[in-house]
Amino acid sequence: MPYRPCLLPHRRAAMWAGAVATSVAGLLAAGTVDPSPAAAVEAAARSDAATTRSDPATAAFLGQVRPQGKEQVTAAALDLDGTGRTPAVYGDDVPYDTASIVKVDILAAALLQAQDAGRSLTKQDRARAEVMIERSDNDAASALWRRIGLAPGLDAANKRLGLTSTKGGSGTDWGLTRTTASDQIRLLRDLFDADSGTGGASPALDADSRTYIRTLMARVAAGQAWGVSAAADSGWALKNGWLRRSATKLWDVNSVGEITADGHHYLVAVLSNGSTTMGDGVSLVQRAARAAVSSAAAH
């Protein structure tokens, strides 16, 4: 299918808040909520806790986002049309569980391995990649996770992609990969920014691989089109992740992608944990995305 950027007009933004609860309920009922592998859900809750920094930018960000209870959130934004090449990070840049945002990383690793072997993805692996990104299919993710060699394969690819603080989940638990907001911006730069290569080199992924991932991220299922898209007024391409931790009964909710706002293209990564419900997590992530883009645009 040809590349078709998804559109989220600004005037529809208000509709998303009301639609989120319906979408979440539908996902839960359909059994497509992203619990990652069953073993991941049963694993112990996160032990790393973000602490609030005192710098004015973070204080202003948290004032807009208003995390509640045990909620923790970190956001990063990079204006691709700006003069700087360093993303603005709001909140502590500490590791969070990825949940299903790691599926973009898994696909990047699979494509990088295929490039190295001088081949394309197999027909079966392309079919898996498409449902993994567009519908967040867990079985497809597990198959590709095994294909890339589990965490060692992911970690090797990430070294070449320039990620420095991402560690693959143990065994089959890809959903418990740990990452930071700034690392997610590094990954997004390899996909969306032609000048992203480490040390001024070309991106690790070739043009066809980068276009392929961007195309899938622009075609996510309608019920999964929340998250960083809330900060867009025109086009977006994204991947979300959501995981309820059985030990705490609290939610990890994340969103990463590229959006267009006020004529500028932004890379945005929002990572969160500690929400009481998935709906609360979605609302937190969307507030954080808007606040991060607004703050980045003002500087």
Side-chain angles (χ1 to χ4, degrees):
M1 295 177 65
Y3 176 70
R4 296 196 304 247
C6 297
L7 301 180
L8 181 63
H10 184 67
R11 63 178 178 274
R12 290 177 57 196
M15 297 171 60
W16 276 93
V20 162
T22 300
S23 297
V24 170
L27 287 166
L28 288 164
T32 57
V33 154
D34 174 23
S36 297
V41 180
E42 296 305 320
R46 71 200 69 73
S47 60
D48 295 319
T51 55
T52 302
R53 290 183 352 210
S54 60
D55 61 273
T58 292
F61 167 78
L62 293 174
Q64 293 182 65
V65 176
R66 304 182 309 281
Q68 302 295 312
K70 296 183 178 180
E71 289 182 333
Q72 299 166 342
V73 61
T74 303
L78 174 64
D79 182 356
L80 292 179
D81 300 308
T83 58
R85 295 287 85 189
T86 301
V89 179
Y90 305 97
D92 287 322
D93 199 23
V94 296
Y96 289 77
D97 301 330
T98 58
S100 271
I101 61 169
V102 76
K103 291 170 180 174
V104 174
D105 204 3
I106 292 172
L107 180 52
L111 289 165
L112 195 55
Q113 291 179 1
Q115 286 178 203
D116 291 345
R119 61 173 176 82
S120 301
L121 291 183
T122 66
K123 182 177 180 180
Q124 184 179 44
D125 283 345
R126 287 183 70 88
R128 289 168 172 160
E130 289 165 14
V131 297
M132 177 178 73
I133 301 298
E134 295 177 13
R135 302 208 301 267
S136 207
D137 186 274
N138 288 339
D139 291 338
S142 294
L144 287 174
W145 179 248
R146 293 190 296 270
R147 173 77 76 180
I148 66 171
L150 309 178
L154 186 79
D155 294 344
N158 282 341
K159 184 175 181 179
R160 295 169 61 186
L161 291 163
L163 278 65
T164 59
S165 302
T166 299
K167 179 66 175 175
S170 176
T172 59
D173 294 344
W174 46 261
L176 291 185
T177 295
R178 301 279 282 172
T179 194
T180 61
S182 59
D183 250 14
Q184 287 302 300
I185 295 294
R186 292 183 182 101
L187 177 59
L188 292 170
R189 287 192 65 189
D190 207 272
L191 304 179
F192 292 93
D193 182 3
D195 300 322
S196 67
T198 302
S202 298
L205 291 167
D206 64 26
D208 288 343
S209 294
R210 297 167 72 234
T211 298
Y212 180 58
I213 300 179
R214 293 197 306 262
T215 299
L216 299 185
M217 292 176 69
R219 296 200 315 229
V220 298
Q224 299 178 20
W226 45 266
V228 297
S229 57
D233 57 24
S234 54
W236 53 260
L238 59 78
K239 182 70 190 80
N240 297 324
W242 55 100
L243 168 64
R244 189 182 188 222
R245 301 305 304 271
S246 62
T248 63
K249 310 304 181 185
L250 300 176
W251 286 82
D252 300 330
V253 181
N254 307 317
S255 184
V256 298
E258 189 258 6
I259 68 150
T260 303
D262 295 325
H264 282 232
H265 299 83
Y266 293 90
L267 303 181
V268 187
V270 183
L271 308 179
S272 78
N273 59 38
S275 292
T276 303
T277 68
M278 181 179 167
D280 288 344
V282 171
S283 295
L284 175 68
V285 164
Q286 295 193 151
R287 293 196 306 271
R290 294 188 192 101
V293 170
S294 176
S295 296
H299 294 85

